[in-house]
Amino acid sequence: MSMFGYDGGMMGNYGYGMGYGGMFFGLLFWILIIVVAYLLIKWLVEQNKTRGGQEKSALEIAKERYAKGEITDEEFEEIKKRLV
């Protein structure tokens, strides 16, 4: 026990709080959060631009469906005849 009747408990001789180190890491944390949010928003906007500008033709969609096995040979040929 100290001469004032208080030994500091778990904080020892560091006082109440984290001091300048805690303020620095708190500020660093918020800067990191803001940068990550900015980069995420920027990435989402770029994804939206590229996706919106590249519309697929009906023939390209039919080719994809044929490649996935969603439509048969006959269905694909019929679609192709109608489009071309």
Side-chain angles (χ1 to χ4, degrees), residues 4-24:
F4 297 111
Y6 178 71
D7 63 357
M10 292 177 68
M11 296 296 289
N13 293 326
Y14 296 109
Y16 300 101
M18 297 175 65
Y20 294 112
M23 287 180 10
F24 172 74

Side-chain angles (χ1 to χ4, degrees), residues 8-38:
M10 292 177 68
M11 296 296 289
N13 293 326
Y14 296 109
Y16 300 101
M18 297 175 65
Y20 294 112
M23 287 180 10
F24 172 74
F25 285 113
L27 182 64
L28 187 65
F29 170 78
W30 284 109
I31 289 172
L32 182 66
I33 293 294
I34 291 168
V35 168
V36 168
Y38 169 78

Side-chain angles (χ1 to χ4, degrees), residues 56-84:
K56 296 179 183 177
S57 69
L59 186 58
E60 289 173 343
I61 294 171
K63 286 178 182 179
E64 287 179 7
R65 290 185 63 199
Y66 178 69
K68 291 178 184 177
E70 294 176 358
I71 57 176
T72 64
D73 293 338
E74 295 83 21
E75 290 172 324
F76 176 70
E77 290 300 323
E78 181 65 30
I79 292 170
K80 197 163 81 170
K81 284 179 191 176
R82 288 183 185 175
L83 294 175
V84 178

